């Protein structure tokens, strides 16, 4: 009886070894030249994707910082508040619709690229008319027709925001189709955010130059300064978008990504099942070494990018690690079940309808809404505060001038915000997230309170206050967003629903708030401008912080490594919400 068992055991081991050899031969044949591959992105395609969102970044920087100021103060349109409201509502409605239909699109050029191209053309043909409405309506001889004005400044902003949502959703959702490497995806998102920073800087610096020219003796008028600014943004955005469309071959990149993911999946499953021998381990090490060398030679030119992409995907024994390979839900179902997040609420949520039964869903939805409201209203109202309260230009001048401080002060604010965002991880390690958020809220309240006492005589103090406003915005918004991981966890099956719901809430609330802040002659009253600039952002920030501080915390005994993985794996959600 024992001899039969021994024979069966030998046969089982022999069959397992044959299965491993067969799998390895197939894998090596499909991989080609004994090397691991995670995608087929070339250097030009990599950078094309990173720059592909700049049209949205440039136009968004103009939208929140200058649109209301331009419509209400420079060309003095009565329907400026309606333009902001219609745009925000359209954006809120378009985002889930574009995401839904984009997932179901099938064309010869892919499922995302058609929406990207469509969004690009919609932006081009709707963004410029918003900034040139006075010229177009004057050319049509309907400049004084209030009905036509109302339709014009309601329809074009709505169309623009639909195009903006189409380009944004298609661009961001393309990442999983480009590479199955987690670190490469993180790098794509990180460099994309760097180009967003560059885009905002371009808007502020260009605005500073044109506003200076508008205030010179022989310069252009203020309306032309904003029109030229919008034209430059569209020109740069067109160049980067066309480059993206030409370089990104979605069907091929998606097919290659799927092929490499399946190959790596089979290798990982075989290894997980214990089908290995010393010879094959040595072959795996050689394959891994060749992959690293291939990455360094052919894929990317940046040394840091090569290192983060290759070394993080190969462990000390030359093996591909599961945590660094991103599969689709179908491909990695068996493996991901063993690596599921422990301690996040999303483990208990399997259908999007169940989110409505979770109190934390509502709490953090309000948190995100309040912090976004703080940043959006503050960014929009600061221009009116500079012009109406601090009066850097002559208020008695017959010609409406735009002070250069409208570009200079937001520029200093934004730079401090970016520098603070880059250092937040250190603050989290020392103080913890809730204490850091409390510090940011205190800075917000102090800096906002200072604005109550500034006037034309001591306006220069604004240069000292603006950096602290930027620090407060960076701390509160970024920390508030990262805390949403307490709700959705790492692999929430309906995490996209949470993102869509929170974004919808943010855009609707911002549109309504800015509508009432700019309705009628509100912005013509100096005291109203002062108190709106102070109270609305301060109350929003304080309410968001209060909801976070009073929220239940995670268990204190939670593993530190799990917390680090939480932060790393929710990075894409943070990027989306921050955008």
């Amino acid at each position: 009886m024992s001899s039969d068992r021994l024979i069966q055991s030998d046969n089982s081991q022999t069959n397992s070894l044959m299965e491993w050899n067969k799998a390895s031969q197939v894998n090596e044949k499909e991989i080609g030249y004994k090397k691991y591959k995670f995608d087929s992105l070339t250097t030009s395609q990599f950078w094309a994707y990173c720059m592909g969102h700049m049209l949205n970044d440039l136009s968004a920087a103009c939208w929140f910082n200058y649109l209301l100021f331009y419509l209400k103060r420079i060309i003095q349109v009565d329907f400026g508040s309606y333009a902001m409201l219609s745009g925000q509502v359209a954006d809120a409605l378009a985002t889930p619709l574009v995401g839904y239909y984009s997932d179901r699109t099938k064309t010869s050029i892919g499922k995302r690229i058609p929406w990207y191209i469509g969004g690009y053309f919609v932006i081009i043909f709707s963004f410029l008319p918003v900034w040139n409405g006075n010229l177009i309506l004057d050319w049509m001889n309907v400049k004084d027709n209030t009905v036509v004005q109302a339709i014009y400044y309601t329809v074009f902003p709505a169309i623009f925001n639909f195009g903006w949502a189409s380009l944004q959703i298609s661009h961001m959702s393309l990442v999983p189709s480009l590479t199955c490497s987690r670190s490469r995806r993180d790098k794509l998102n990180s460099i994309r955010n760097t180009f967003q920073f560059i885009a905002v800087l371009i808007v502020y610096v260009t605005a500073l130059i044109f506003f200076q020219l508008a205030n010179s003796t022989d310069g252009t008028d203020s309306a032309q300064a904003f029109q030229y600014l919008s034209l430059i943004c569209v020109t740069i955005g067109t160049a980067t978008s066309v480059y993206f469309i030409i370089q990104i071959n979605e069907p091929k990149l998606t097919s290659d990504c799927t092929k490499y993911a399946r190959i790596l999946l089979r290798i990982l499953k075989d290894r997980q099942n214990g089908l290995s021998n010393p010879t094959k381990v040595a072959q795996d090490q050689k394959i891994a070494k060749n992959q690293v060398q291939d990455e360094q030679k052919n894929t990317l030119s940046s040394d840091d990018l090569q290192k983060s992409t290759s070394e993080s995907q190969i462990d000390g024994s030359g093996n591909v690690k599961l945590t660094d390979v991103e599969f689709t839900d179908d491909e990695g179902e068996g493996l991901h079940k063993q690596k599921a997040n422990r301690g996040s609420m999303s483990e208990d949520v399997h259908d999007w309808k169940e989110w409505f039964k979770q109190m934390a869903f509502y709490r953090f939805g309000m948190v995100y809404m309040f912090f976004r409201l703080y940043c959006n209203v503050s960014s929009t109202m600061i221009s009116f505060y500079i012009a109406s309260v601090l009066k850097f230009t002559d208020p008695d001048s017959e010609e409406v001038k735009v002070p250069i401080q409208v570009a200079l002060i937001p520029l200093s604010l934004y730079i401090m915000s970016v520098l603070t965002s880059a250092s937040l991880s250190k603050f989290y390690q020392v103080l913890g997230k809730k204490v850091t958020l409390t510090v940011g809220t205190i800075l917000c309240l102090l800096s906002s309170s200072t604005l109550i006492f500034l006037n034309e005589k001591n306006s220069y103090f604004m240069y000292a206050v603006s950096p602290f406003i930027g620090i407060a915005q960076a701390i509160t918004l970024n920390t508030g967003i990262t805390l949403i991981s307490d709700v959705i966890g790492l692999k929430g099956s309906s995490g996209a629903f949470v993102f869509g719901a929170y974004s919808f809430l943010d855009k609707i609330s911002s549109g309504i708030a800015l509508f009432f802040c700019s309705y009628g002659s509100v912005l013509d009253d100096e005291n109203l401008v002062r108190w709106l600039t102070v109270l609305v952002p301060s109350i929003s920030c304080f309410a968001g912080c209060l909801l976070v501080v009073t929220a239940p915390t995670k268990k204190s005994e939670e593993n530190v490594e799990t917390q680090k993985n939480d932060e790393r794996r929710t990075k894409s959600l943070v990027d989306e919400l921050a955008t």
Side-chain angles (χ1 to χ4, degrees), residues 17-178:
L17 185 60
M18 291 176 62
E19 290 178 4
W20 166 258
N21 290 333
K22 183 178 179 181
S24 298
Q25 291 173 1
V26 172
N27 290 334
E28 291 179 5
K29 182 179 179 181
E30 290 186 12
I31 293 174
Y33 197 61
K34 295 184 179 181
K35 61 182 180 181
Y36 290 132
K37 290 284 289 184
F38 303 94
D39 55 67
S40 59
L41 281 170
T42 63
T43 303
S44 58
Q45 288 174 330
F46 184 93
W47 293 105
Y49 175 83
C50 295
M51 292 187 289
H53 201 259
M54 282 196 72
L55 177 60
N56 267 17
D57 297 331
L58 292 163
S59 57
C62 290
W63 190 265
F64 273 110
N65 287 289
Y66 295 128
L67 179 64
L68 265 181
F69 184 80
Y70 169 71
L71 295 178
K72 298 289 291 186
R73 184 173 177 84
I74 303 302
I75 63 175
Q76 300 177 358
V77 174
D78 295 333
F79 302 98
S81 53
Y82 291 93
M84 182 62 69
L85 179 61
S86 67
Q88 290 300 104
V89 171
D91 192 2
L93 296 175
T95 298
L97 289 175
V98 171
Y100 177 84
Y101 287 106
S102 175
D103 288 338
R104 288 154 180 78
T105 299
K106 293 182 181 180
T107 69
S108 59
I109 60 174
K111 61 163 54 176
R112 312 297 183 190
I113 293 298
W115 287 92
Y116 183 96
I117 296 174
Y120 162 74
F121 282 109
V122 170
I123 291 175
I124 295 300
F125 291 110
S126 59
F127 184 71
L128 290 177
V130 173
W131 296 89
N132 294 272
N134 58 330
L135 299 178
I136 296 175
L137 294 177
D138 186 41
W139 174 72
M140 297 172 62
N141 294 322
V142 291
K143 188 175 182 179
D144 297 328
N145 190 318
T146 56
V147 176
V148 174
Q149 272 195 0
I151 296 174
Y152 186 93
Y153 286 107
T154 302
V155 172
F156 275 106
I159 295 174
F160 162 73
N161 276 274
F162 180 83
W164 197 95
S166 298
L167 193 143
Q168 181 202 32
I169 297 300
S170 59
H171 184 268
M172 297 183 73
S173 60
L174 188 61
V175 176
S177 301
L178 299 181

Side-chain angles (χ1 to χ4, degrees), residues 223-243:
Q224 288 179 323
F226 285 97
Q227 291 160 4
Y228 292 154
L229 175 63
S230 65
L231 183 61
I232 288 179
C233 290
V234 168
T235 302
I236 297 175
T238 295
T240 54
S241 292
V242 170
Y243 181 61

Side-chain angles (χ1 to χ4, degrees), residues 415-425 427 467 470-472 474-475 478:
I415 291 175
M416 287 303 301
S417 179
V418 172
L419 294 177
T420 303
S421 298
S423 307
L424 275 179
S425 59
F427 287 99
I471 294 173
I475 292 176
N478 284 279

Side-chain angles (χ1 to χ4, degrees), residues 160-384:
F160 162 73
N161 276 274
F162 180 83
W164 197 95
S166 298
L167 193 143
Q168 181 202 32
I169 297 300
S170 59
H171 184 268
M172 297 183 73
S173 60
L174 188 61
V175 176
S177 301
L178 299 181
T179 178
C180 60
S181 163
R182 188 187 302 280
S183 61
R184 181 71 71 88
R185 292 183 186 182
D186 289 344
K187 206 68 181 182
L188 284 168
N189 288 325
S190 176
I191 299 179
R192 183 199 66 205
N193 291 336
T194 301
F195 276 101
Q196 179 186 7
F197 168 70
I198 294 172
V200 178
L201 280 184
I202 289 174
V203 170
Y204 283 137
V205 173
T206 306
L208 184 63
I209 295 172
F210 282 126
F211 295 166
Q212 179 63 38
L213 292 175
N215 285 280
S216 64
T217 305
D218 300 325
T220 59
D221 60 36
S222 297
Q224 288 179 323
F226 285 97
Q227 291 160 4
Y228 292 154
L229 175 63
S230 65
L231 183 61
I232 288 179
C233 290
V234 168
T235 302
I236 297 175
T238 295
T240 54
S241 292
V242 170
Y243 181 61
F244 170 86
I245 294 171
I246 293 174
Q247 288 291 330
I248 300 299
N249 185 343
E250 183 185 350
K252 181 181 183 303
L253 292 172
T254 301
S255 176
D256 292 344
C257 178
T258 302
K259 179 181 71 174
Y260 295 133
R262 288 173 178 170
I263 294 172
L264 293 169
L265 177 63
R266 288 201 296 271
I267 294 175
L268 289 167
K269 281 186 174 180
D270 289 340
R271 210 173 270 143
Q272 180 177 289
N273 293 331
L275 298 175
S276 61
N277 60 46
T279 303
K280 292 304 174 184
V281 170
Q283 289 182 358
D284 279 343
Q285 293 175 352
K286 185 175 181 180
I287 292 172
K289 182 178 179 181
N290 289 334
Q291 169 63 12
V292 173
Q293 293 174 350
D294 182 73
E295 292 281 349
Q296 293 174 343
K297 291 180 181 179
N298 301 326
T299 307
L300 298 172
S301 58
S302 170
D303 292 338
D304 291 338
L305 197 54
Q306 293 162 1
K307 185 175 181 180
S308 66
T309 300
S310 302
E311 293 182 359
S312 66
Q313 292 162 347
I314 311 298
D315 65 16
S317 302
N319 296 323
V320 178
K321 296 184 293 183
L322 172 62
T323 55
D324 289 316
V325 182
E326 190 75 32
F327 301 106
T328 64
D329 292 339
D330 294 334
E331 292 167 345
E333 181 179 0
L335 291 170
H336 282 312
K337 284 182 180 178
Q338 299 181 10
K339 298 289 183 177
N341 181 36
R342 295 173 176 85
S344 67
M345 185 181 299
S346 62
E347 287 183 311
D348 303 323
V349 178
H350 304 287
D351 182 68
W352 65 271
K353 296 178 183 178
E354 297 180 26
W355 283 110
F356 293 106
K357 301 177 183 178
Q358 307 289 341
M359 288 303 298
F361 171 75
Y362 299 98
R363 176 186 291 271
F364 282 93
M366 298 297 290
V367 167
Y368 178 65
M369 182 195 75
F370 279 128
F371 286 140
R372 290 294 294 182
L373 196 61
Y374 161 48
C375 294
N376 291 339
V377 174
S378 179
S379 298
T380 301
M381 293 300 298
I382 198 71
S383 298
F384 293 98

Side-chain angles (χ1 to χ4, degrees), residues 524-545:
D524 296 331
D525 190 314
E526 176 183 333
N527 289 324
L528 279 177
V529 171
R530 182 194 301 273
W531 287 106
L532 286 173
T533 306
V534 172
L535 291 180
V536 177
S538 298
I539 293 173
S540 300
C541 185
F542 179 77
C545 180

